[in-house]
Amino acid sequence: MAGRSTLTVVNGVIFIDLKEAFDTIDHSLLIRKLHKYGVATSSLKRFESYFFDSSQNCSINGHLAGVALVSCGVPEGSNLRPLLLLVYINGVPNCLSSASARMFVDDTNIILAASAIADLEIVVNLELRKLLCWLVINMLNLNVFRLNLW
C-alpha cells in the first residue's frame, strides 16, 4: 500500500504499590473526602466518633505496654476497610494528565503511550512527579523495590 504512513506507538506500564496503605490513612483527610463524596452529616459524625479519640494498647508477655492514641489507619477486621481505602485513593487518576490508572485496592497500574521511547521517558517522569505530589498531599508512600539486573 503505497503512500500509507504507519504510526509507531510505544506503551509503558508503571506498577505502583502503596506502602502500608491501610495503616497510613489520615483520619481528617478521609472525613473530608467522605464529605466531598456526599456522605450525610449524621454518617460523618459516626465516622468521626469511630476514628477520633480512639486508642489501642499492646500486651507483651502478659504486661500492658501502655495506651497510645490512634491517629491514622483503618482497623483490621473492619468490613469498611477496603471501601475506605478506595475512597481515600480514588483521586489518583485525577492527578494524571497523560496516563490512565487501573486500580485494585492498594495496587495501581499507570498506563502510558508515546510515539517514541524518548517521548515515553519524558511522559513517565512527568506523570511520576504528579503522582508523587498527590501521594505527599495525601500522606501516602510508595513501596519501593529495587531490581538488580545482572
Side-chain angles (χ1 to χ4, degrees):
M1 292 188 201
R4 183 177 171 198
S5 64
T6 59
L7 178 63
T8 302
V9 176
V10 181
N11 294 304
V13 179
I14 304 167
F15 298 92
I16 303 293
D17 179 57
L18 296 176
K19 185 177 184 177
E20 301 175 354
F22 288 103
D23 300 326
T24 57
I25 292 173
D26 180 86
H27 295 158
S28 296
L29 277 172
L30 178 58
I31 295 296
R32 286 195 300 245
K33 289 174 187 244
L34 288 167
H35 180 267
K36 177 185 168 190
Y37 286 117
V39 173
T41 303
S42 60
S43 296
L44 286 175
K45 291 198 181 299
R46 286 182 188 261
F47 278 112
E48 288 172 351
S49 70
Y50 180 65
F51 289 126
F52 297 117
D53 297 326
S54 62
S55 61
Q56 66 183 16
N57 57 18
C58 180
S59 175
I60 301 172
N61 293 328
H63 301 324
L64 288 179
V67 175
L69 289 177
V70 178
S71 60
C72 61
V74 180
E76 282 190 50
S78 166
N79 292 336
L80 291 174
R81 188 173 164 110
L83 177 64
L84 292 174
L85 177 66
L86 291 176
V87 167
Y88 196 80
I89 66 170
N90 196 44
V92 167
N94 298 334
C95 80
L96 305 171
S97 59
S98 300
S100 61
R102 302 290 184 258
M103 300 167 51
F104 181 75
V105 192
D106 62 340
D107 296 312
T108 300
N109 298 338
I110 298 175
I111 302 156
L112 308 107
S115 58
I117 296 272
D119 295 335
L120 183 63
E121 181 180 359
I122 291 167
V123 172
V124 164
N125 285 312
L126 287 171
E127 295 300 293
L128 284 175
R129 281 191 203 102
K130 292 174 194 171
L131 177 65
L132 178 61
C133 287
W134 188 92
L135 291 170
V136 167
I137 289 168
N138 288 276
M139 299 180 208
L140 294 170
N141 294 301
L142 290 178
N143 228 346
V144 179
F145 300 98
R146 184 173 177 173
L147 177 64
N148 292 320
L149 300 175
W150 305 104

